[in-house]
Amino acid sequence: MQKFIKLHPLDNVQIVVSDIKAGDVLLFKGNKVYFEKSIGIGHKIAEQFIVNGQKIIKCGVPIGSATADIVAGEHVHLHNMKSDYIPTYTIQQGFKED
């Protein structure tokens, strides 16, 4: 069963189309990738190595930028990318609630 799909030729991410479970080892672009954490349908994984600061491209358009280097097959989400258009709601290091 296919687990990922590339939506546009310019994309540097693929979309998960079948749940990935923690511990799965899957073939991705000819390489075995071990998934430490579960990834749900609709989430993104890196199609290729993405450098910190590089644009994340989905459906042929930039949706944000990498905030860290991301290896091929790695989950791409709020922990390693930010939107370039709207605030990204994550708890920043050192943030304290009143």
Side-chain angles (χ1 to χ4, degrees):
M1 176 179 219
Q2 185 175 348
K3 294 278 188 177
F4 325 101
I5 188 170
K6 186 172 182 174
L7 299 176
H8 190 279
L10 296 177
D11 290 355
N12 58 5
V13 294
Q14 290 194 21
I15 307 306
V16 175
V17 295
S18 180
D19 287 332
I20 298 171
K21 294 182 174 53
D24 280 355
V25 177
L26 302 173
L27 196 59
F28 181 72
K29 298 189 69 168
N31 297 307
K32 287 184 181 178
V33 176
Y34 172 76
F35 291 89
E36 291 182 16
K37 296 180 180 180
S38 296
I39 304 175
I41 294 172
H43 282 256
K44 301 169 295 301
I45 61 166
E47 154 98 347
Q48 62 205 31
F49 184 79
I50 299 172
V51 184
N52 186 0
Q54 184 177 342
K55 297 292 184 190
I56 305 296
I57 310 295
K58 179 181 170 188
C59 298
V61 297
I63 61 167
S65 297
T67 58
D69 290 344
I70 306 169
V71 299
E74 185 178 343
H75 188 201
V76 178
H77 201 52
L78 296 177
H79 66 284
N80 57 12
M81 74 162 285
K82 68 176 182 71
S83 171
D84 293 336
Y85 309 102
I86 60 173
T88 301
Y89 296 99
T90 58
I91 296 177
Q92 300 298 320
Q93 186 175 14
F95 174 81
K96 294 181 183 175
E97 290 188 53
D98 294 328

